[in-house]
Amino acid sequence: MKPGRAATFGKSAAQFLVGCVRQTVTVKPRTEPDGGLLEAVKQWQQVFEHNPVMYFMVDPAGTVINVNTFGAAQLGYTTAELIGRSVLDVFFEEDRDFVRACVALCLETVDQSHTWEIRKVRKDGSVLWVRENAKTMLRADGGPIVLVACENITERKEAENALRQSEAYLAQAQELSHTGSFGWRAATGEITWSKETYRIFQCDEGTKPQIPVMLQRIHPEDRLAVQQTTGRAAREGEDYDHEYRLLMPDGSIKYVRAVARAMRDSGGRVEFVGSVTDITATKEAERRLRESEQRFRAYAETASDWFWETGPDHRVTVISEHSDTVTAPAGLIGLTRWDIAPDADLEPEKWRQHRAALDAHTAFRDLVYRSKDRNGQPIYVRTSGKPFFDANGNFLGYRGVCTDVTAAIRADQAEDALRKAQAELAHVTRVTTLGELTASIAHEINQPLAAVIANADACLAWLQRSPPDLKAAGRSVEWIIEDGKRASDVIRHVRALAKRTEIEMVPLDANLVVREAVALVQREMASHAVSVRMELSSAMPKIFGDRIQLQQVLINLIMNGIEAMEDVHDRPRELAIRSAADGEGAMLVSVADCGVGIDEQAIDRLFTPFFTTKSGGMGMGLSICRSIIETHGGRLSAAPNQSGGATFQITLPLHREEAS
Amino acid sequence: MTERLEPSPPQENADQPIVFIVDDDASMRRALTNLFESVGLKVEAFGSAPQLLHAKPPQVPSCLVLDIRLPGASGLDLQSDLAKADIHTPIIFITGHADIPMTVRAMKGGAIDFLTKPVRDQDILDAVQAAIERDRKRRDFNKTVLNVRSRFESLSSRERDVLALVTSGLMNKQVAAQLGLAEITVKIYRGNIMRKMGAKSLADLVRMSEALGIRPSRSDAQT
């Protein structure tokens, strides 16, 4: 019953008591008191005072006229403190209107009992729940008085609250865990469901759960199994735990798990208390997990990779089963990686580092080593691995993946070999070209040496004068040093051209490369009466390349130009060398002659190996030039000039930092 | 290197000889200039043949030191260009490496010497001295020839006839017979010729007529 709901109170002990009290207090003391009556009043007085019920007498204004000791004590007051005060003082502010209404009701309905539950406030501010039973009586003088008897119901209220709370918690918990509870008396077929169970079954809370209703909801394919399980449990009085599907009204499927404990009531009849959990989400997650696992397995099996696991001692414990069983090596369980690899002795440093990484329990990536496939064929394997640990952080081993990279490595090796062969060929042709340039080179070296000797002779002569001209002698020596350096520069340059085969890509000043190349063939041009016109763009960004190879190309093109002009007698033999940036992240270097020119049809074949128009030529020069330029990411093209002769143009990408 | 040329004291007269250098290599040009200057020679250096051709022809004894391989026109081309321009400055060729056809062509063209780099200082200095000496002689000779020619111009045509016959070794009597003159007349002509030409003897006269090329059959004595 809710607090505040007034209700007529039937004949009860309290009513009886109140009636007695009324008699007691309304009896006026007589001058000659009746001994028996006095005794009765005294007894009732004792009852009034010590009955563990709180009694209040309140006048129509709400003033406390009387209160028993127990009642005052319950509220933490003395009777004297309460008498004469407004009864509203022992109620909470927000409850006072209700109290007034109740008092008013009592006053209107004299002699009728009313009862309600309400909170009272103690002197110390704490709460006292009471059930009040009140009734208005008319005093002898006709004035009304309200008698109130209160019973302390605080404990019950708290228990009720706790229960309500606990029920709320349970309902919340059920909702959160998608778990409902149920009770089932097998003998009577009586079933009780918690709110969440209703929700799971999507049944209206008002409907009475019954076995046919339940069966209706269960997926047709699962009904029989459910009936068998529950039927046997009911017969045997045994616990049961089963999963089944529900077919919901919207056609969706819900997975549930029901667990029940069998008990027997006092009459020995079997009853079950159980839970039913909506495990659709779990089932879905399981399905996804299984799917994901299958997917990864499919990936792993279709890829030529295989997975491995090693223990704390780095010995193989697991190797993934593989559909392609040729590549994945067999019989490795119990071996370490360095037991498997035949290159362990050949590359001790690689393996030392790898073992250090393993001992440090750090992940490793892309270790490539040699191994053998199932047929004993040598293969290259690339592997990466990560350490794994137990919950306490203890190292358990490594897990990782291996890939057969034999094909890639073979391709790399072939490419390396090709590059090497190309470099060798470039070198050979370079040396051949140098052979053709011997006279020019000799001159380039001889020239500064001749200057050195002339200056040295002059120096002696200056010293032998009287008095010796020391200033002129000193100047001569400085020139000797300069010329000596120049000679040694030429030698170094030629040696570089002759010796190096490995390619060294560095940022280069294109104009400097051109000038150095031209210097080497200067004499060749002079002896063929060829003049050179250099039009080099001043603000040239750097290119990225191998100086020697680029000079080889330039020398080759210049020599070709010189030869092309061999038969020119009617006009100056002029070779124009130009450099320019094309504004699109590339630079151009061109060598134009005014010689015999090139046949349009020959242009296509010009750069193919062994194509030559010269009687003694190998036909490798231009082909190698083109491959060198292409190695530099550039292009080499040829075109006839309008005014006769041909132009060879090199396009080279700029050094990336410059280009940005 | 023991027999070095004694550096001659600086001479600031107009007749001081000049060594011309044509070499496209700046450091070689500088070194040769240094070398010649160190022995007190006056030097003018050029980087190319056209530069030299544009310069004023020298009025003093001089020689030309020429790199045989010059860009554009070669040293040999320059040699013939100079000859065409009637510039007879003696040429010394220097070259990185000489081949025989080149040497032959140079020497035929009148080169004094043909030296290969690196040149021995004594060789080139000797060659330069020789060339300058030859140029000086040529210039002196040219001066003499001019002098004799102008005297020759002052002779009458009959006197020139007599001169030609006398210097060819004919006796006065034979000259008179050939020209249909009296012997005494020939004697008078002969005296006039000797005076006009400034010759002290018949031998003098013969040498002069040879220089003038009056006796072409013996004109090879010109050098």
Side-chain angles (χ1 to χ4, degrees):
Chain A
M1 188 175 285
K2 286 176 186 165
R5 190 197 284 176
T8 43
F9 198 66
K11 290 186 178 171
S12 73
Q15 192 183 21
F16 175 66
L17 183 63
V18 169
C20 294
V21 171
R22 183 186 58 188
Q23 280 184 342
T24 309
V25 293
T26 52
V27 169
K28 296 251 164 91
R30 294 176 184 177
T31 42
E32 284 177 46
D34 179 332
L37 188 63
L38 269 176
E39 192 59 31
V41 167
K42 215 167 154 184
Q43 279 172 13
W44 284 113
Q45 192 81 32
Q46 288 296 314
V47 170
F48 174 73
E49 285 299 330
H50 299 295
N51 195 334
V53 173
M54 296 170 264
Y55 295 112
F56 290 85
M57 288 180 209
V58 181
D59 71 8
T63 308
V64 177
I65 295 166
N66 202 358
V67 59
N68 68 342
T69 312
F70 179 79
Q74 283 285 298
L75 291 170
Y77 295 96
T78 61
T79 51
E81 279 176 312
L82 285 177
I83 292 169
R85 280 175 77 166
S86 169
V87 78
L88 292 175
D89 287 354
V90 297
F91 291 98
F92 284 97
E93 183 75 47
E94 60 265 36
D95 292 343
R96 285 178 190 169
D97 281 346
F98 174 72
V99 173
R100 285 189 197 101
C102 289
V103 171
L105 179 69
C106 290
L107 289 171
E108 279 168 27
T109 52
V110 179
D111 273 345
Q112 275 190 28
S113 279
H114 298 283
T115 182
W116 59 85
E117 291 180 359
I118 194 165
R119 294 175 298 172
K120 280 193 163 155
V121 60
R122 287 198 182 96
K123 194 179 179 182
D124 63 6
S126 59
V127 174
L128 186 71
W129 272 98
V130 292
R131 178 189 175 90
E132 295 195 323
N133 195 346
K135 183 178 187 176
T136 301
M137 293 191 337
L138 295 176
R139 286 202 278 197
D141 58 3
I145 183 168
V146 182
L147 298 177
V148 186
C150 311
E151 171 190 358
N152 183 353
I153 57 163
T154 306
E155 268 183 30
R156 199 198 83 207
K157 272 286 171 189
E158 279 171 358
E160 265 176 24
N161 279 342
L163 184 62
R164 200 175 303 119
Q165 189 89 31
S166 144
E167 274 173 355
Y169 283 158
L170 186 62
Q172 285 264 331
Q174 291 201 350
E175 194 181 331
L176 285 173
S177 63
H178 303 295
T179 302
S181 55
F182 66 89
W184 173 36
R185 286 178 195 276
T188 61
E190 187 191 343
I191 298 175
T192 51
W193 276 358
S194 76
K195 210 169 162 182
E196 184 61 20
T197 309
Y198 277 106
R199 210 184 339 257
I200 289 170
F201 280 85
Q202 271 183 30
C203 288
D204 186 26
E205 266 186 69
T207 56
K208 180 89 188 111
Q210 281 174 330
I211 294 201
V213 175
M214 270 180 67
L215 284 176
Q216 194 61 39
R217 188 61 92 217
I218 291 170
H219 194 284
E221 290 173 17
D222 291 351
R223 274 178 207 154
L224 186 62
V226 170
Q227 281 175 302
Q228 283 173 346
T229 304
T230 52
R232 188 171 54 243
R235 274 197 311 280
E236 312 285 333
E238 279 177 352
D239 299 350
Y240 66 86
D241 178 349
H242 62 164
E243 288 179 14
Y244 51 91
R245 287 169 294 172
L246 302 181
L247 184 58
M248 306 320 287
D250 66 355
S252 65
I253 289 187
K254 213 179 240 184
Y255 289 83
V256 294
R257 178 183 178 197
V259 182
R261 168 133 324 150
M263 297 188 298
R264 286 185 190 272
D265 66 6
S266 49
R269 286 167 298 202
V270 176
E271 60 180 25
F272 293 94
V273 175
S275 69
V276 53
T277 308
D278 181 351
I279 55 168
T280 311
T282 317
K283 279 279 173 193
E284 179 65 10
E286 253 177 48
R287 188 187 60 77
R288 284 204 191 135
L289 188 65
R290 198 162 43 240
E291 222 176 75
S292 148
E293 212 179 279
Q294 275 169 350
R295 188 161 59 234
F296 281 111
R297 188 180 297 276
Y299 285 157
E301 285 177 359
T302 44
S304 61
D305 299 357
W306 61 95
F307 300 94
W308 50 261
E309 212 171 287
T310 52
D313 57 356
H314 307 314
R315 290 180 186 281
V316 178
T317 51
V318 177
I319 289 260
S320 65
E321 282 304 316
H322 217 275
S323 54
D324 168 20
T325 47
V326 179
T327 337
L332 303 184
I333 305 291
L335 297 177
T336 63
R337 197 164 291 115
W338 43 93
D339 291 334
I340 302 161
D343 59 359
D345 297 333
L346 301 174
E347 294 174 84
E349 183 53 26
K350 176 174 93 181
W351 287 99
R352 198 195 55 71
Q353 283 181 5
H354 177 58
R355 292 179 72 159
L358 293 185
D359 290 339
H361 303 161
T362 54
F364 62 92
R365 282 202 76 81
D366 297 341
L367 173 78
V368 175
Y369 60 94
R370 279 164 52 198
S371 182
K372 284 193 168 74
D373 70 7
R374 296 209 171 176
N375 299 333
Q377 293 299 309
I379 56 170
Y380 284 93
V381 172
R382 184 179 64 214
T383 188
S384 301
K386 262 175 99 168
F388 66 103
F389 304 90
D390 68 10
N392 299 324
N394 296 317
F395 173 68
L396 294 180
Y398 274 85
R399 287 195 184 112
V401 59
C402 278
T403 311
D404 176 5
V405 291
T406 313
I409 296 230
R410 294 262 156 81
D412 274 358
Q413 285 171 343
E415 203 177 312
D416 272 356
L418 180 62
R419 204 175 299 126
K420 217 165 159 182
Q422 272 178 344
E424 296 282 354
L425 188 57
H427 177 237
V428 168
T429 52
R430 196 156 65 227
V431 171
T432 311
T433 310
L434 281 179
E436 290 166 19
L437 288 175
T438 310
S440 283
I441 292 164
H443 178 90
E444 278 305 308
I445 297 165
N446 206 19
Q447 198 77 353
L449 288 181
V452 164
I453 289 166
N455 277 318
D457 287 335
C459 180
L460 280 176
W462 292 117
L463 291 172
Q464 281 168 4
R465 285 191 176 206
S466 51
D469 188 337
L470 294 177
K471 200 176 159 196
R475 191 182 57 214
S476 304
V477 172
E478 280 166 19
W479 290 344
I480 289 170
I481 294 168
E482 271 180 37
D483 293 334
K485 278 184 184 156
R486 190 180 130 201
S488 106
D489 282 350
V490 173
I491 291 169
R492 197 166 42 241
H493 188 185
V494 171
R495 274 172 64 117
L497 276 171
K499 271 190 117 176
R500 253 195 36 219
T501 55
E502 71 274 21
I503 298 169
E504 191 189 344
M505 304 289 273
V506 291
L508 293 172
D509 174 352
N511 287 345
L512 193 65
V513 173
V514 171
R515 285 201 191 92
E516 282 180 352
V518 169
L520 271 189
V521 288
Q522 194 99 54
R523 287 292 122 183
E524 212 61 38
M525 292 194 266
S527 65
H528 289 85
V530 169
S531 64
V532 64
R533 188 156 47 103
M534 307 262 268
E535 292 171 16
L536 304 182
S537 163
S538 55
M540 282 290 284
K542 284 219 157 59
I543 52 164
F544 197 67
D546 181 89
R547 190 171 64 101
I548 300 303
Q549 287 210 334
L550 291 178
Q551 286 181 353
Q552 175 181 358
V553 172
L554 282 165
I555 289 171
N556 219 308
L557 296 182
I558 292 169
M559 295 288 280
N560 279 352
I562 292 171
E563 279 178 51
M565 294 189 286
E566 192 94 297
D567 297 327
V568 171
H569 299 291
D570 55 342
R571 56 187 185 271
R573 298 173 185 171
E574 192 186 65
L575 201 64
I577 302 176
R578 300 185 181 89
S579 73
D582 79 342
E584 286 168 19
M587 62 140 284
L588 312 171
V589 174
S590 65
V591 178
D593 64 61
C594 58
V596 291
I598 23 175
D599 191 347
E600 286 277 6
Q601 268 120 41
I603 285 186
D604 291 339
R605 290 180 296 141
L606 213 50
F607 298 101
T608 54
F610 307 115
F611 174 80
T612 182
T613 54
K614 304 173 200 164
S615 54
M618 266 233 296
M620 289 308 288
L622 283 175
S623 145
I624 286 159
C625 286
R626 176 168 271 188
S627 80
I628 287 174
I629 296 299
E630 282 170 358
T631 308
H632 282 73
R635 276 179 296 115
L636 175 62
S637 57
N641 294 337
Q642 286 195 328
S643 52
T647 298
F648 285 82
Q649 180 164 286
I650 301 167
T651 311
L652 283 172
L654 296 181
H655 183 35
R656 220 167 288 145
E657 281 166 34
E658 300 273 343
S660 68
Chain B
M1 294 278 178
T2 46
E3 309 167 83
R4 297 194 59 85
L5 264 190
E6 273 306 306
S8 40
Q11 297 170 310
E12 282 308 321
N13 58 55
D15 279 350
Q16 190 185 357
I18 299 176
V19 180
F20 292 95
I21 299 169
V22 184
D23 198 313
D24 63 316
D25 186 296
S27 74
M28 196 60 216
R29 214 155 56 226
R30 183 175 69 185
L32 288 172
T33 305
N34 191 23
L35 178 62
F36 295 138
E37 283 178 350
S38 73
V39 295
L41 289 165
K42 201 172 158 191
V43 179
E44 279 186 41
F46 300 93
S48 71
Q51 282 177 14
L52 176 79
L53 288 170
H54 285 112
K56 207 167 57 129
Q59 299 304 321
V60 294
S62 55
C63 74
L64 185 54
V65 176
L66 198 55
D67 190 316
I68 203 157
R69 287 167 181 262
L70 285 174
S74 76
L76 291 170
D77 294 336
L78 180 60
Q79 185 184 29
S80 50
D81 286 350
L82 288 170
K84 275 180 212 153
D86 203 23
I87 298 169
H88 300 283
T89 310
I91 296 173
I92 299 155
F93 280 106
I94 51 173
T95 177
H97 65 286
D99 54 45
I100 289 170
M102 220 184 261
T103 318
V104 169
R105 197 182 143 195
M107 296 315 277
K108 271 190 175 169
I112 292 283
D113 215 336
F114 197 101
L115 304 170
T116 52
K117 286 183 201 172
V119 287
R120 287 184 53 217
D121 63 335
Q122 201 59 51
D123 291 349
I124 195 159
L125 290 174
D126 286 350
V128 162
Q129 288 296 346
I132 286 171
E133 202 46 49
R134 191 205 283 189
D135 198 40
R136 192 192 307 279
K137 278 188 181 146
R138 183 182 60 83
R139 282 168 190 282
D140 289 351
F141 177 75
N142 281 354
K143 227 183 270 173
T144 313
V145 169
L146 274 176
N147 196 15
V148 172
R149 188 170 294 282
S150 70
R151 289 181 192 199
F152 181 71
E153 302 290 324
S154 70
L155 298 183
S156 68
S157 75
R158 185 53 81 181
E159 284 167 350
R160 290 181 195 177
D161 295 340
V162 172
L163 176 66
L165 295 170
V166 165
T167 52
S168 69
L170 294 183
M171 313 284 280
N172 287 349
K173 202 189 307 181
Q174 292 168 302
V175 173
Q178 218 158 65
L179 294 174
L181 296 172
E183 192 178 352
I184 187 71
T185 313
V186 172
K187 272 189 181 171
I188 291 165
Y189 277 133
R190 193 169 161 165
N192 285 348
I193 292 166
M194 293 290 276
R195 184 176 42 79
K196 279 186 179 172
M197 293 299 282
K200 294 182 184 79
S201 64
L202 179 63
D204 258 2
L205 206 58
V206 169
R207 211 171 51 238
M208 284 177 189
S209 65
E210 276 178 354
L212 288 167
I214 292 168
R215 298 289 299 271
S217 59
R218 293 167 74 181
S219 64
D220 59 314
Q222 200 170 356
T223 53

